[in-house]
Amino acid sequence: MNESQPQALTTRKRAARLRRLVRELFSDRSLIIASNRGPVTFERSRSGKLRPSRGSGGMVSAVSAISRYANPVWICSPMSSVDREMASERPGELIPYSTKDYEFRLRFVVTDRESYDLFYLTVSNPLLWFIQHYMWDLVRVPTFASEMWSAWQGYQRVNQAFAEAIATQVASEGNHSIVVLQDYHLYLCPGVLAPLLPADCLLSHFVHIPWPGPDYWMILPVAMREQILASLCCNDILGFHTKRYVLSFLRTCESLLPGAQVDYSAQTVKRAGKTLLVRIYPISIDVRSVRRVAKSRRTARERDHLLRRLGEQTILRVDRIDPSKNIVRGFEALDLLFERYPEHLGKVRLLALLVPSRLGIEEYRKYLDEVIVATQRLNLKYGDREWEPVKLIVGEDYARAVAAMQLYDVLLVNPIIDGMNLVAKEGPIVNERDGVLIISEGAGASQELGEGALVVSPYDVVQTAEALHKALVMSPGERARRTATLRSIIEGHNVGDWLYDQLVDLSELQT
Ligand code: F6P
């Protein structure tokens, strides 16, 4: 966050300020966004009509907000066979896509299936995701045998293809563009791309997930980690959600990247004649658009439907089914809550809205099974014909998630570690019951929201069970005070501020 920016500006003034900056910055520059998952993916209806659907995940919704102000080109991987078809029918052509809220020009980077699977299913997730979420069981895995090196080549090929597509796009824009790369899928992109860009192009990269310290990065073979670090140092700016990740990145460069000169007070890394600025930009939500979804008819329908499935009090969790989300320990905490405080039995229900994710990866499939088994175990242990303590709903439905967020008494967000976690910010904005937020100290959001939430260790199920009890019996006055604190923190730093802070820093780098 740029500390010189006053936080007390009204939403309207802040939007106007962002619009002004965008006008200045992009009067003679184009904006190019690149990420693996794009803002939209296409399917076909039975009649053959194109059916677009919004790309899922926090990164896509936050980055999409920029299109209210600029008209970016978004370069991304095709997610469906229809995306692939569209890309091969019109190679190199931009696909315009607009909705009431968004306007983009899309360009798909098509790579061969085998390279893409190595890139996505072996290197990005699990290898990098698992390192950056401390998820390897190091006694057994990972092992860098020849298969992993072949997969690394797949990761290199996809990054190379992205870099080439971006360079081609920059050339065709005919001006000095600003390129903003997103996330861990594209770590090798800046290294290939920077030498292909005109000198006055600006290149920034935002890492949406945690950055562990150098000891954990030492899991990666020297050649892989040096390639990643050297490539990231080819950016002008590298952004993270929290100060902790920024410091870990600087320490990683100091320990593991030969030739890197790290300046902790300036937060820079100098290497090979280039200075990289490493900055904190805590991502947020689009408060206005989340409130709009909360008021929609579809959400109202989902709300009516959910009301029939709630307990007297409801604990909610909304997560992708990812081992880093610590869903099973959340069930263990609920088990302990019922053991220690049986007065909640028959009254409190956990509503778990879980979105299947990355099912091409064995660890994710196994974790889904573990979640189902843990649910059944709790329901057998405490449930009867009329009552089930856990209601598990598997599937992706944003309106349903927002409806559930309106209704919780307690929102449980207990990831092992999480870059930010936007559910923790969406919940308090739409909730209608002064519900209590329980947040893991491993979630980036806990650093901003700790004051209004109950903060727990993700590993400590006793502390989590006690926090659940405390939240369930909390006085209405304290609940209201905490809700007001959370809302004012979240409204005080909207997704527009996240974009604004990055654009201010980029505009200061202009030559
Ligand atoms: O930054 C992490 C992220 O990209 C989020 O946007 C999202 O929650 C998740 O990962 C999506 O992962 P995938 O694209 O693999 O489904």
PDB file of all heavy atoms in Angstrom, residues 36-37 56-61 79 120 125 129 133 183-185 207-209 241 320 325 357-358, ligand 1:
ATOM      1  N   ASN A  36      -2.443 -17.008 -16.699  1.00  0.00           N
ATOM      2  CA  ASN A  36      -2.855 -18.309 -17.231  1.00  0.00           C
ATOM      3  C   ASN A  36      -4.367 -18.350 -17.430  1.00  0.00           C
ATOM      4  O   ASN A  36      -4.861 -18.566 -18.523  1.00  0.00           O
ATOM      5  CB  ASN A  36      -2.411 -19.424 -16.278  1.00  0.00           C
ATOM      6  CG  ASN A  36      -2.939 -20.768 -16.714  1.00  0.00           C
ATOM      7  OD1 ASN A  36      -2.797 -21.146 -17.871  1.00  0.00           O
ATOM      8  ND2 ASN A  36      -3.586 -21.477 -15.817  1.00  0.00           N
ATOM      9  N   ARG A  37      -5.119 -18.116 -16.338  1.00  0.00           N
ATOM     10  CA  ARG A  37      -6.585 -18.123 -16.467  1.00  0.00           C
ATOM     11  C   ARG A  37      -7.041 -16.730 -16.870  1.00  0.00           C
ATOM     12  O   ARG A  37      -6.623 -15.746 -16.258  1.00  0.00           O
ATOM     13  CB  ARG A  37      -7.216 -18.527 -15.131  1.00  0.00           C
ATOM     14  CG  ARG A  37      -8.668 -18.876 -15.225  1.00  0.00           C
ATOM     15  CD  ARG A  37      -9.200 -19.365 -13.894  1.00  0.00           C
ATOM     16  NE  ARG A  37      -8.800 -20.722 -13.578  1.00  0.00           N
ATOM     17  CZ  ARG A  37      -9.389 -21.818 -14.057  1.00  0.00           C
ATOM     18  NH1 ARG A  37     -10.423 -21.705 -14.875  1.00  0.00           N
ATOM     19  NH2 ARG A  37      -8.983 -23.027 -13.730  1.00  0.00           N
ATOM     20  N   SER A  56     -12.913 -18.129 -13.198  1.00  0.00           N
ATOM     21  CA  SER A  56     -13.148 -18.168 -11.752  1.00  0.00           C
ATOM     22  C   SER A  56     -11.900 -17.718 -10.984  1.00  0.00           C
ATOM     23  O   SER A  56     -10.813 -17.663 -11.524  1.00  0.00           O
ATOM     24  CB  SER A  56     -13.527 -19.583 -11.344  1.00  0.00           C
ATOM     25  OG  SER A  56     -12.479 -20.434 -11.711  1.00  0.00           O
ATOM     26  N   GLY A  57     -12.109 -17.367  -9.723  1.00  0.00           N
ATOM     27  CA  GLY A  57     -10.978 -17.080  -8.832  1.00  0.00           C
ATOM     28  C   GLY A  57     -10.799 -15.610  -8.536  1.00  0.00           C
ATOM     29  O   GLY A  57     -11.270 -14.739  -9.272  1.00  0.00           O
ATOM     30  N   GLY A  58     -10.126 -15.373  -7.413  1.00  0.00           N
ATOM     31  CA  GLY A  58      -9.941 -14.014  -6.915  1.00  0.00           C
ATOM     32  C   GLY A  58      -9.092 -13.153  -7.829  1.00  0.00           C
ATOM     33  O   GLY A  58      -9.365 -11.962  -8.016  1.00  0.00           O
ATOM     34  N   MET A  59      -8.041 -13.755  -8.412  1.00  0.00           N
ATOM     35  CA  MET A  59      -7.158 -12.977  -9.270  1.00  0.00           C
ATOM     36  C   MET A  59      -7.941 -12.380 -10.434  1.00  0.00           C
ATOM     37  O   MET A  59      -7.858 -11.184 -10.714  1.00  0.00           O
ATOM     38  CB  MET A  59      -6.023 -13.889  -9.774  1.00  0.00           C
ATOM     39  CG  MET A  59      -4.993 -13.245 -10.660  1.00  0.00           C
ATOM     40  SD  MET A  59      -5.489 -13.056 -12.360  1.00  0.00           S
ATOM     41  CE  MET A  59      -5.465 -14.746 -12.924  1.00  0.00           C
ATOM     42  N   VAL A  60      -8.757 -13.236 -11.094  1.00  0.00           N
ATOM     43  CA  VAL A  60      -9.501 -12.775 -12.269  1.00  0.00           C
ATOM     44  C   VAL A  60     -10.451 -11.637 -11.891  1.00  0.00           C
ATOM     45  O   VAL A  60     -10.490 -10.601 -12.560  1.00  0.00           O
ATOM     46  CB  VAL A  60     -10.268 -13.950 -12.935  1.00  0.00           C
ATOM     47  CG1 VAL A  60     -11.356 -13.444 -13.853  1.00  0.00           C
ATOM     48  CG2 VAL A  60      -9.303 -14.817 -13.717  1.00  0.00           C
ATOM     49  N   SER A  61     -11.192 -11.777 -10.765  1.00  0.00           N
ATOM     50  CA  SER A  61     -12.142 -10.691 -10.480  1.00  0.00           C
ATOM     51  C   SER A  61     -11.433  -9.398 -10.102  1.00  0.00           C
ATOM     52  O   SER A  61     -11.875  -8.314 -10.487  1.00  0.00           O
ATOM     53  CB  SER A  61     -13.193 -11.077  -9.440  1.00  0.00           C
ATOM     54  OG  SER A  61     -12.734 -12.051  -8.598  1.00  0.00           O
ATOM     55  N   MET A  79      -9.042 -22.206 -21.928  1.00  0.00           N
ATOM     56  CA  MET A  79      -9.429 -23.143 -20.867  1.00  0.00           C
ATOM     57  C   MET A  79     -10.346 -24.240 -21.401  1.00  0.00           C
ATOM     58  O   MET A  79     -10.487 -25.282 -20.797  1.00  0.00           O
ATOM     59  CB  MET A  79     -10.162 -22.398 -19.733  1.00  0.00           C
ATOM     60  CG  MET A  79      -9.282 -21.479 -18.948  1.00  0.00           C
ATOM     61  SD  MET A  79      -8.136 -22.410 -17.900  1.00  0.00           S
ATOM     62  CE  MET A  79      -6.683 -21.380 -17.992  1.00  0.00           C
ATOM     63  N   TYR A 120       0.861 -26.937 -16.238  1.00  0.00           N
ATOM     64  CA  TYR A 120      -0.206 -26.682 -15.252  1.00  0.00           C
ATOM     65  C   TYR A 120      -0.288 -27.777 -14.187  1.00  0.00           C
ATOM     66  O   TYR A 120      -0.381 -27.478 -12.996  1.00  0.00           O
ATOM     67  CB  TYR A 120      -1.554 -26.565 -15.992  1.00  0.00           C
ATOM     68  CG  TYR A 120      -2.707 -26.187 -15.077  1.00  0.00           C
ATOM     69  CD1 TYR A 120      -2.876 -24.871 -14.652  1.00  0.00           C
ATOM     70  CD2 TYR A 120      -3.624 -27.144 -14.633  1.00  0.00           C
ATOM     71  CE1 TYR A 120      -3.931 -24.518 -13.797  1.00  0.00           C
ATOM     72  CE2 TYR A 120      -4.668 -26.801 -13.783  1.00  0.00           C
ATOM     73  CZ  TYR A 120      -4.817 -25.487 -13.372  1.00  0.00           C
ATOM     74  OH  TYR A 120      -5.849 -25.141 -12.525  1.00  0.00           O
ATOM     75  N   ASN A 125       1.040 -26.255 -10.571  1.00  0.00           N
ATOM     76  CA  ASN A 125       0.347 -26.953  -9.488  1.00  0.00           C
ATOM     77  C   ASN A 125       0.643 -28.419  -9.757  1.00  0.00           C
ATOM     78  O   ASN A 125       0.250 -28.879 -10.793  1.00  0.00           O
ATOM     79  CB  ASN A 125      -1.178 -26.796  -9.593  1.00  0.00           C
ATOM     80  CG  ASN A 125      -1.583 -25.388  -9.973  1.00  0.00           C
ATOM     81  OD1 ASN A 125      -1.407 -24.475  -9.216  1.00  0.00           O
ATOM     82  ND2 ASN A 125      -2.141 -25.228 -11.184  1.00  0.00           N
ATOM     83  N   TRP A 129       2.967 -24.297  -6.482  1.00  0.00           N
ATOM     84  CA  TRP A 129       1.894 -24.008  -5.514  1.00  0.00           C
ATOM     85  C   TRP A 129       2.213 -24.673  -4.163  1.00  0.00           C
ATOM     86  O   TRP A 129       2.047 -24.084  -3.104  1.00  0.00           O
ATOM     87  CB  TRP A 129       0.549 -24.506  -6.063  1.00  0.00           C
ATOM     88  CG  TRP A 129      -0.608 -24.268  -5.153  1.00  0.00           C
ATOM     89  CD1 TRP A 129      -1.034 -25.092  -4.145  1.00  0.00           C
ATOM     90  CD2 TRP A 129      -1.495 -23.136  -5.134  1.00  0.00           C
ATOM     91  NE1 TRP A 129      -2.129 -24.545  -3.518  1.00  0.00           N
ATOM     92  CE2 TRP A 129      -2.429 -23.339  -4.106  1.00  0.00           C
ATOM     93  CE3 TRP A 129      -1.588 -21.975  -5.907  1.00  0.00           C
ATOM     94  CZ2 TRP A 129      -3.452 -22.437  -3.797  1.00  0.00           C
ATOM     95  CZ3 TRP A 129      -2.608 -21.066  -5.611  1.00  0.00           C
ATOM     96  CH2 TRP A 129      -3.518 -21.299  -4.567  1.00  0.00           C
ATOM     97  N   HIS A 133       2.964 -22.818  -0.587  1.00  0.00           N
ATOM     98  CA  HIS A 133       1.999 -22.994   0.507  1.00  0.00           C
ATOM     99  C   HIS A 133       2.527 -24.014   1.524  1.00  0.00           C
ATOM    100  O   HIS A 133       1.758 -24.549   2.302  1.00  0.00           O
ATOM    101  CB  HIS A 133       0.625 -23.431  -0.035  1.00  0.00           C
ATOM    102  CG  HIS A 133      -0.063 -22.360  -0.832  1.00  0.00           C
ATOM    103  ND1 HIS A 133       0.234 -22.103  -2.138  1.00  0.00           N
ATOM    104  CD2 HIS A 133      -1.002 -21.441  -0.490  1.00  0.00           C
ATOM    105  CE1 HIS A 133      -0.511 -21.085  -2.577  1.00  0.00           C
ATOM    106  NE2 HIS A 133      -1.256 -20.670  -1.592  1.00  0.00           N
ATOM    107  N   ASP A 183       0.955 -13.749 -11.485  1.00  0.00           N
ATOM    108  CA  ASP A 183       1.075 -15.024 -10.777  1.00  0.00           C
ATOM    109  C   ASP A 183       2.203 -15.970 -11.184  1.00  0.00           C
ATOM    110  O   ASP A 183       2.999 -15.709 -12.081  1.00  0.00           O
ATOM    111  CB  ASP A 183      -0.281 -15.743 -10.795  1.00  0.00           C
ATOM    112  CG  ASP A 183      -0.780 -15.928  -9.359  1.00  0.00           C
ATOM    113  OD1 ASP A 183       0.038 -15.848  -8.429  1.00  0.00           O
ATOM    114  OD2 ASP A 183      -1.981 -16.164  -9.168  1.00  0.00           O
ATOM    115  N   TYR A 184       2.170 -17.110 -10.487  1.00  0.00           N
ATOM    116  CA  TYR A 184       3.279 -18.075 -10.480  1.00  0.00           C
ATOM    117  C   TYR A 184       3.365 -18.903 -11.749  1.00  0.00           C
ATOM    118  O   TYR A 184       4.369 -19.550 -11.985  1.00  0.00           O
ATOM    119  CB  TYR A 184       3.140 -19.004  -9.256  1.00  0.00           C
ATOM    120  CG  TYR A 184       1.816 -19.729  -9.196  1.00  0.00           C
ATOM    121  CD1 TYR A 184       1.699 -21.069  -9.573  1.00  0.00           C
ATOM    122  CD2 TYR A 184       0.652 -19.066  -8.786  1.00  0.00           C
ATOM    123  CE1 TYR A 184       0.482 -21.724  -9.528  1.00  0.00           C
ATOM    124  CE2 TYR A 184      -0.576 -19.706  -8.748  1.00  0.00           C
ATOM    125  CZ  TYR A 184      -0.651 -21.026  -9.118  1.00  0.00           C
ATOM    126  OH  TYR A 184      -1.878 -21.666  -9.084  1.00  0.00           O
ATOM    127  N   HIS A 185       2.301 -18.885 -12.548  1.00  0.00           N
ATOM    128  CA  HIS A 185       2.367 -19.646 -13.800  1.00  0.00           C
ATOM    129  C   HIS A 185       3.378 -19.012 -14.754  1.00  0.00           C
ATOM    130  O   HIS A 185       3.929 -19.689 -15.602  1.00  0.00           O
ATOM    131  CB  HIS A 185       0.997 -19.668 -14.495  1.00  0.00           C
ATOM    132  CG  HIS A 185      -0.125 -20.046 -13.591  1.00  0.00           C
ATOM    133  ND1 HIS A 185      -0.817 -19.121 -12.848  1.00  0.00           N
ATOM    134  CD2 HIS A 185      -0.656 -21.259 -13.311  1.00  0.00           C
ATOM    135  CE1 HIS A 185      -1.750 -19.754 -12.141  1.00  0.00           C
ATOM    136  NE2 HIS A 185      -1.667 -21.040 -12.398  1.00  0.00           N
ATOM    137  N   VAL A 207       2.424 -11.323  -7.701  1.00  0.00           N
ATOM    138  CA  VAL A 207       2.355 -12.703  -7.210  1.00  0.00           C
ATOM    139  C   VAL A 207       1.181 -12.784  -6.231  1.00  0.00           C
ATOM    140  O   VAL A 207       1.200 -12.151  -5.181  1.00  0.00           O
ATOM    141  CB  VAL A 207       3.681 -13.111  -6.523  1.00  0.00           C
ATOM    142  CG1 VAL A 207       3.583 -14.527  -5.964  1.00  0.00           C
ATOM    143  CG2 VAL A 207       4.848 -12.986  -7.507  1.00  0.00           C
ATOM    144  N   HIS A 208       0.168 -13.551  -6.578  1.00  0.00           N
ATOM    145  CA  HIS A 208      -1.066 -13.578  -5.782  1.00  0.00           C
ATOM    146  C   HIS A 208      -1.011 -14.591  -4.637  1.00  0.00           C
ATOM    147  O   HIS A 208      -1.977 -14.748  -3.910  1.00  0.00           O
ATOM    148  CB  HIS A 208      -2.266 -13.913  -6.682  1.00  0.00           C
ATOM    149  CG  HIS A 208      -2.599 -12.804  -7.642  1.00  0.00           C
ATOM    150  ND1 HIS A 208      -3.616 -11.906  -7.417  1.00  0.00           N
ATOM    151  CD2 HIS A 208      -2.034 -12.444  -8.825  1.00  0.00           C
ATOM    152  CE1 HIS A 208      -3.672 -11.043  -8.420  1.00  0.00           C
ATOM    153  NE2 HIS A 208      -2.721 -11.356  -9.287  1.00  0.00           N
ATOM    154  N   ILE A 209       0.088 -15.307  -4.532  1.00  0.00           N
ATOM    155  CA  ILE A 209       0.153 -16.357  -3.493  1.00  0.00           C
ATOM    156  C   ILE A 209       1.323 -16.047  -2.554  1.00  0.00           C
ATOM    157  O   ILE A 209       2.133 -15.162  -2.847  1.00  0.00           O
ATOM    158  CB  ILE A 209       0.255 -17.761  -4.144  1.00  0.00           C
ATOM    159  CG1 ILE A 209       1.532 -17.919  -4.969  1.00  0.00           C
ATOM    160  CG2 ILE A 209      -0.971 -18.018  -5.006  1.00  0.00           C
ATOM    161  CD1 ILE A 209       1.725 -19.341  -5.528  1.00  0.00           C
ATOM    162  N   HIS A 241       1.112  -9.326  -1.726  1.00  0.00           N
ATOM    163  CA  HIS A 241       0.030  -8.852  -0.867  1.00  0.00           C
ATOM    164  C   HIS A 241       0.490  -8.293   0.472  1.00  0.00           C
ATOM    165  O   HIS A 241      -0.167  -7.453   1.055  1.00  0.00           O
ATOM    166  CB  HIS A 241      -0.925 -10.007  -0.528  1.00  0.00           C
ATOM    167  CG  HIS A 241      -1.709 -10.514  -1.694  1.00  0.00           C
ATOM    168  ND1 HIS A 241      -2.435  -9.687  -2.499  1.00  0.00           N
ATOM    169  CD2 HIS A 241      -1.903 -11.780  -2.162  1.00  0.00           C
ATOM    170  CE1 HIS A 241      -3.035 -10.419  -3.420  1.00  0.00           C
ATOM    171  NE2 HIS A 241      -2.721 -11.674  -3.244  1.00  0.00           N
ATOM    172  N   ARG A 320     -12.245 -23.175  -2.361  1.00  0.00           N
ATOM    173  CA  ARG A 320     -11.898 -24.180  -3.368  1.00  0.00           C
ATOM    174  C   ARG A 320     -11.438 -25.402  -2.603  1.00  0.00           C
ATOM    175  O   ARG A 320     -10.879 -25.278  -1.496  1.00  0.00           O
ATOM    176  CB  ARG A 320     -10.726 -23.683  -4.227  1.00  0.00           C
ATOM    177  CG  ARG A 320     -11.112 -22.878  -5.418  1.00  0.00           C
ATOM    178  CD  ARG A 320      -9.927 -22.614  -6.345  1.00  0.00           C
ATOM    179  NE  ARG A 320      -8.748 -22.166  -5.646  1.00  0.00           N
ATOM    180  CZ  ARG A 320      -7.661 -22.902  -5.472  1.00  0.00           C
ATOM    181  NH1 ARG A 320      -7.593 -24.145  -5.939  1.00  0.00           N
ATOM    182  NH2 ARG A 320      -6.616 -22.419  -4.838  1.00  0.00           N
ATOM    183  N   LYS A 325      -6.372 -25.103   2.018  1.00  0.00           N
ATOM    184  CA  LYS A 325      -7.509 -24.433   2.677  1.00  0.00           C
ATOM    185  C   LYS A 325      -7.823 -25.056   4.033  1.00  0.00           C
ATOM    186  O   LYS A 325      -8.653 -24.543   4.773  1.00  0.00           O
ATOM    187  CB  LYS A 325      -8.757 -24.459   1.778  1.00  0.00           C
ATOM    188  CG  LYS A 325      -8.545 -23.815   0.414  1.00  0.00           C
ATOM    189  CD  LYS A 325      -8.341 -22.315   0.506  1.00  0.00           C
ATOM    190  CE  LYS A 325      -8.186 -21.703  -0.886  1.00  0.00           C
ATOM    191  NZ  LYS A 325      -7.886 -20.286  -0.865  1.00  0.00           N
ATOM    192  N   SER A 357     -11.564 -28.355  -7.522  1.00  0.00           N
ATOM    193  CA  SER A 357     -10.474 -27.614  -8.153  1.00  0.00           C
ATOM    194  C   SER A 357      -9.350 -28.563  -8.552  1.00  0.00           C
ATOM    195  O   SER A 357      -9.063 -29.528  -7.832  1.00  0.00           O
ATOM    196  CB  SER A 357      -9.976 -26.605  -7.104  1.00  0.00           C
ATOM    197  OG  SER A 357      -8.898 -25.877  -7.578  1.00  0.00           O
ATOM    198  N   ARG A 358      -8.742 -28.317  -9.684  1.00  0.00           N
ATOM    199  CA  ARG A 358      -7.518 -29.017 -10.138  1.00  0.00           C
ATOM    200  C   ARG A 358      -7.619 -30.535  -9.987  1.00  0.00           C
ATOM    201  O   ARG A 358      -6.704 -31.179  -9.450  1.00  0.00           O
ATOM    202  CB  ARG A 358      -6.308 -28.489  -9.355  1.00  0.00           C
ATOM    203  CG  ARG A 358      -6.156 -26.986  -9.500  1.00  0.00           C
ATOM    204  CD  ARG A 358      -5.049 -26.410  -8.646  1.00  0.00           C
ATOM    205  NE  ARG A 358      -5.079 -24.956  -8.731  1.00  0.00           N
ATOM    206  CZ  ARG A 358      -4.479 -24.135  -7.873  1.00  0.00           C
ATOM    207  NH1 ARG A 358      -3.758 -24.608  -6.905  1.00  0.00           N
ATOM    208  NH2 ARG A 358      -4.563 -22.841  -8.017  1.00  0.00           N
TER     209      ARG A 358
HETATM  210  O1  F6P B   1      -3.695 -16.635  -7.265  1.00  0.00           O
HETATM  211  C1  F6P B   1      -4.213 -17.829  -6.993  1.00  0.00           C
HETATM  212  C2  F6P B   1      -5.271 -18.195  -7.972  1.00  0.00           C
HETATM  213  O2  F6P B   1      -4.905 -17.917  -9.287  1.00  0.00           O
HETATM  214  C3  F6P B   1      -6.595 -17.530  -7.618  1.00  0.00           C
HETATM  215  O3  F6P B   1      -7.009 -16.601  -8.535  1.00  0.00           O
HETATM  216  C4  F6P B   1      -7.582 -18.630  -7.606  1.00  0.00           C
HETATM  217  O4  F6P B   1      -8.122 -18.713  -6.333  1.00  0.00           O
HETATM  218  C5  F6P B   1      -6.829 -19.875  -7.896  1.00  0.00           C
HETATM  219  O5  F6P B   1      -5.480 -19.574  -7.887  1.00  0.00           O
HETATM  220  C6  F6P B   1      -7.278 -20.458  -9.194  1.00  0.00           C
HETATM  221  O6  F6P B   1      -6.517 -21.507  -9.566  1.00  0.00           O
HETATM  222  P1  F6P B   1      -6.744 -22.256 -10.933  1.00  0.00           P
HETATM  223  O7  F6P B   1      -6.602 -21.233 -12.021  1.00  0.00           O
HETATM  224  O8  F6P B   1      -5.691 -23.299 -10.947  1.00  0.00           O
HETATM  225  O9  F6P B   1      -8.118 -22.815 -10.857  1.00  0.00           O
END
